[in-house]
Amino acid sequence: MSPQIVGSPAAPSAAAPDGDSAPAPAPASDRAPVDLPAAADGEALTATATATAHATATVTATVTASATAAATAALPGLPQALSTRARTLAGAVRRRCTDLARIESPSGDVPRLDALAEELSAGFSATGATARREPGPAGDHLVLEWEGQDETLPHLLIVGHHDTVWPVGTLADWPVTEQDGLLSGPGVVDMKGGLAILEGAFALLADLGQRPHRAVRLVVVSDEEVGSPDGRRLVERQLRGAAAVLGLEPPHPDGRLKTARRGSTRVRLTVTGREAHAGNDAHDGVSAVDELVDQLVVVRGLAGQPGTELNAGRISGGSRANVVAGRAEAELGLRFSTVEAQRRTLDNLARLTALRPGARVRTEVLSSRPAWPERTGNPLLRHVRSLAAVLGQQLDGGPAGGAGDTNLPGSRGLPTLDGFGAVGAGAHARHEHIRLDQLAPRIALLAALLAVPLPRLRDRTEG
């Protein structure tokens, strides 16, 4: 078993008041634009710009002061304590990420995924979590829970996954290595680094004698990289009553969080033809490969509509060069910027018909995630930005092209942010890596989010 990041036993502390008040004023970037009066001369324009700058600085100071007050109420000296302890823990988190990445866990490999689930369960349990294994057809999922200071509050939900896109044996020619401030290896950024960072954040709080402000639930699914066909039910079950949802996927390469995601759907297109001898009786056969090629041309035309992108990820078919192919199939990955584009394209795919007599075409949706649209006035992002500022960090957010398990809560309007994992780049590519100098800031930020009360995020929530 790999060494875990273990903190001291958590001691109860007085709960700070939760965020039933209105959220702190938004930073200038979230506020409505101000119409500036026309300047009569250069002096007037300069005076107007100076006044605007002062107003912006006042708003920013107010937000930071509000976050500082919340942090101080949670624990006196919290910002400094978090940052200092996070730097101390960064080495252990780096080693933990390395150990996790050395346990290969490709999607669908049940024994390896279950072995990693057991390792993760032990690590999080050492920080005070109650762990439960949830059986799934492609490997066990994990549901972990931490008690909060105030158990009457809605829980905070965190979502992650422990499967990767890398097949067994990848480590043989691409071992986990550390060089020039980067940790490289299969799965380090997507998302074993994020899992290690979260474990470090809980260990940090335990070291400070703290529990999270509210109950926290973590769902780690085993099939995210193939669309969470089974894991989705677990995420959906934990959405009920959640105050907010955080995702452990990597952030944008510059560290920004992810505030929206495109929808995604995996589709299998299967064509059945009729086999025959390709030399003697070709006229008796119906080539499933030829039919599939023509169907893909049609599908590419459908994907050319606004808001839709297509990747033909896998194609197979036929048996021998002297046999007319009786079967062929393609697995397609589709991305959608809007729910409308997703619905329109999938409806068109469902209506595909064979182009040649004797062939049959079948469309099957393997997994699907709804689009999570960008929303104006994001109080959860403002809260995180203000906490980051208290910790001496500059942080912002923006929409992402990929899809993940945060699509589901985001599409339903729940306060959702993704990208709390390790800062790096190269997910699903051979240059996948994380930046080691960003481990400590991420540990401190997640620990602060767990410890500090949330502001009011929506009218119908309690905090």
Side-chain angles (χ1 to χ4, degrees):
M1 180 177 289
S2 307
Q4 292 113 26
I5 310 162
V6 183
S8 307
S13 61
D18 201 65
D20 285 340
S21 58
S29 61
D30 282 342
R31 294 164 68 86
V34 178
D35 292 327
L36 299 180
D41 51 37
E43 288 185 4
L45 183 59
T46 300
T48 301
T50 301
T52 302
H54 282 314
T56 300
T58 300
V59 169
T60 302
T62 302
V63 173
T64 304
S66 174
T68 303
T72 302
L75 177 69
L78 182 64
Q80 182 177 356
L82 290 180
S83 297
T84 301
R85 184 61 186 146
R87 287 192 293 270
T88 303
L89 279 171
V93 170
R94 182 192 76 239
R95 291 188 294 274
R96 181 63 166 161
C97 178
T98 298
D99 290 339
L100 294 178
R102 285 174 175 160
I103 304 174
E104 292 183 302
S105 55
S107 305
D109 192 323
V110 174
R112 286 180 170 84
L113 283 163
D114 286 353
L116 181 54
E118 184 63 28
E119 178 63 25
L120 290 168
S121 177
F124 284 118
S125 294
T127 70
T130 300
R132 184 175 82 252
R133 297 271 289 271
E134 185 81 22
D140 286 357
H141 313 291
L142 282 176
V143 179
L144 303 114
E145 299 187 53
W146 288 260
E147 290 184 358
Q149 296 175 26
D150 189 344
E151 288 289 301
T152 67
L153 295 170
H155 65 278
L156 176 67
L157 178 62
I158 304 176
V159 295
H161 65 90
H162 62 298
D163 62 324
T164 74
V165 299
W166 300 104
V168 170
T170 302
L171 285 170
D173 63 352
W174 182 26
V176 182
T177 56
E178 184 179 330
Q179 186 176 4
D180 299 328
L182 304 179
L183 185 69
S184 174
V188 292
V189 79
D190 189 14
M191 63 166 34
K192 292 174 181 179
L195 294 167
I197 287 172
L198 182 64
E199 190 178 322
F202 277 110
L204 189 160
L205 289 184
D207 280 352
L208 297 177
Q210 290 292 297
R211 287 204 307 265
H213 179 64
R214 64 179 69 231
V216 178
R217 297 180 195 171
L218 168 65
V219 176
V220 183
V221 303
S222 62
D223 57 357
E224 190 276 342
E225 295 293 5
V226 292
S228 303
D230 184 67
R232 173 178 172 143
R233 64 181 173 84
L234 252 110
V235 174
E236 191 157 18
R237 191 183 305 163
Q238 302 302 327
L239 292 181
R240 302 187 189 104
V245 183
L246 310 179
L248 294 177
E249 294 288 353
H252 292 284
D254 60 5
R256 286 177 304 139
L257 300 175
K258 296 176 177 178
T259 57
R261 286 184 174 280
R262 289 186 296 176
S264 72
T265 300
R266 288 190 309 125
V267 171
R268 181 187 292 133
L269 189 62
T270 303
V271 176
T272 304
R274 186 167 58 245
E275 293 180 340
H277 192 290
N280 297 331
D281 304 307
H283 58 280
D284 291 333
V286 178
S287 173
V289 168
D290 289 348
E291 177 70 22
L292 178 61
V293 169
D294 291 343
Q295 289 291 340
L296 288 176
V297 172
V298 174
V299 169
R300 185 156 295 283
L302 298 177
Q305 298 178 15
T308 301
E309 293 181 12
L310 167 70
N311 177 55
R314 184 181 61 82
I315 297 176
S316 63
S319 57
R320 297 174 179 270
N322 60 352
V323 178
V324 175
R327 183 180 175 87
E329 68 177 37
E331 187 172 323
L332 312 176
L334 294 134
R335 307 279 178 173
F336 308 97
S337 58
T338 65
V339 174
E340 292 73 21
Q342 192 166 11
R343 184 181 302 113
R344 180 179 63 244
T345 302
L346 294 181
D347 284 348
N348 287 333
L349 286 175
R351 289 196 291 265
L352 288 176
T353 56
L355 302 173
R356 46 181 52 73
R360 287 178 294 162
V361 177
R362 179 170 177 254
T363 303
E364 179 185 3
V365 174
L366 302 176
S367 65
S368 188
R369 292 182 170 120
W372 163 21
E374 181 80 42
R375 288 183 169 85
T376 58
N378 190 329
L380 181 56
L381 178 62
R382 290 202 302 268
H383 174 64
V384 175
R385 274 197 310 220
S386 62
L387 279 182
V390 169
L391 296 168
Q393 304 176 27
Q394 289 187 337
L395 191 64
D396 212 324
D405 286 328
T406 47
N407 278 61
L408 191 59
S411 70
R412 297 183 179 183
L414 283 168
T416 305
L417 278 179
D418 209 338
F420 285 97
V423 180
H428 301 190
R430 279 274 175 159
H431 64 283
E432 182 174 359
H433 65 269
I434 63 175
R435 290 178 50 187
L436 296 176
D437 66 332
Q438 293 302 305
L439 287 178
R442 275 295 195 243
I443 297 166
L445 179 64
L446 265 174
L449 265 171
L450 298 171
V452 174
L454 291 173
R456 183 183 294 278
L457 299 176
R458 51 188 180 138
D459 290 341
R460 63 180 180 275
T461 187
E462 299 175 37

